[in-house]
Amino acid sequence: MKKTALFITVMLLLSACGSVPLTGRRQMLLVSDAEVVSASLTQYNEFIKTATLSADKTKTATVERVGKKIAAATEAYLRQNGLESELANFAWEFKLVKDDQVNAFCMPGGKIVVYEGLMPLTASDDELAVVIGHEIAHAVAKHSNERMSQEVLAQYGAAILDAALSTKSEAIRSLGSTVFGLGAQLGVMLPYSRQHEYEADYLGMVFMTLAGYNPQSTVTFWQKMAAGGNAGTMELLSTHPTDANRIAELQRRLPEMAAFRK
């Protein structure tokens, strides 16, 4: 019986593997795209009900303009590379929220929120594109799905897998608030892993470049973030890369962007 359960578990895990566009990294996706989007949309709608949208029409329009431009370029890339089926997962929204946090986030399905506190660090559309491109990348790379799948496996293990994930929907609903975490603090999602952050940096750089923005701005933006006091954070104590490591990796990737320029 144990061998049978192990075999079923292994087969289910193998069948649940996906790969990230551009990087090709293999990832475990136990949860369907529809379930992830549904669970996250519930959290997002609750957040929007309580959040105060920015009254600054100019900045709000800028966030929407830059966001839509990168989203269009991203969708064009997916179509051109045989990934048109992925487009059904996205219904893009770009919101600017009145809050002093230096923060932004993207929910699965393409619901992107930028905080007013971040805007002073984006002196140009190019630097704002760094932030929005990075958030769009999290959605395209299905990092939330991967994180939720890891939670499902950790909490339910072989029991749920051995039952061919028959009770998965209930598990997903119960994990939604844990994974997305929008109920505890205003728009503070649980952090992604360092691997996810580096991957979103790279994909975001590609997507903003495809949209016609200057990828060099990724370096200038993170230099500003470093100057704001984040440079001293120990990488091993945080899921986010240190600013110095992040900047070094972005600089290493910059020459590759020539292939994506219009």
Side-chain angles (χ1 to χ4, degrees), residues 1-10 158 162:
M1 287 293 292
K2 288 184 178 180
K3 288 184 178 180
T4 301
L6 178 61
F7 175 76
I8 293 173
T9 300
V10 170
D162 190 35

Side-chain angles (χ1 to χ4, degrees), residues 41 44-45 48 64 91-95 106 109-113:
L41 187 58
Y44 174 76
N45 287 337
I48 290 297
E64 291 177 350
W92 302 103
E93 286 185 19
F94 303 93
K95 303 291 187 183
C106 177
K111 310 303 184 186
I112 293 176
V113 172

Side-chain angles (χ1 to χ4, degrees), residues 37-195:
V37 170
S38 176
S40 66
L41 187 58
T42 298
Q43 294 291 315
Y44 174 76
N45 287 337
E46 288 297 319
F47 166 75
I48 290 297
K49 288 178 183 177
T50 59
T52 301
L53 297 181
S54 174
D56 190 320
K57 294 182 179 180
T58 300
K59 290 181 179 178
T60 296
T62 299
V63 168
E64 291 177 350
R65 181 182 69 253
V66 174
K68 289 177 180 179
K69 189 174 180 181
I70 300 176
T74 301
E75 290 196 352
Y77 174 85
L78 295 175
R79 286 192 194 92
Q80 293 162 9
N81 288 273
L83 297 169
E84 188 170 3
S85 62
E86 296 295 325
L87 301 183
N89 298 322
F90 305 119
W92 302 103
E93 286 185 19
F94 303 93
K95 303 291 187 183
L96 180 63
V97 168
K98 182 177 176 58
D99 193 288
D100 291 335
Q101 291 185 61
V102 181
N103 199 9
F105 68 84
C106 177
M107 300 292 279
K111 310 303 184 186
I112 293 176
V113 172
V114 178
Y115 293 87
E116 284 187 338
L118 187 62
M119 297 302 285
L121 292 172
T122 58
S124 65
D125 283 7
D126 291 305
E127 290 186 340
L128 180 59
V130 175
V131 176
I132 294 179
H134 177 94
E135 298 304 333
I136 285 177
H138 277 309
V140 172
K142 300 184 181 182
H143 288 157
S144 289
N145 189 327
E146 190 172 4
R147 182 170 57 185
M148 183 173 279
S149 297
Q150 291 165 353
E151 288 290 326
V152 168
L153 186 59
Q155 291 197 29
Y156 295 89
I160 193 171
L161 293 173
D162 190 35
L165 304 177
S166 61
T167 59
K168 185 177 58 178
S169 294
E170 181 179 347
I172 297 312
R173 285 193 296 272
S174 67
L175 285 171
S177 59
T178 301
V179 172
F180 301 117
L182 291 179
Q185 298 181 52
L186 186 62
V188 180
M189 292 178 65
L190 294 180
Y192 290 105
S193 68
R194 287 193 295 274
Q195 181 183 49

Side-chain angles (χ1 to χ4, degrees), residues 229-244:
N230 296 324
T233 303
M234 291 292 291
E235 183 167 353
L236 292 178
L237 300 179
S238 170
T239 56
H240 284 63
T242 63
D243 293 318

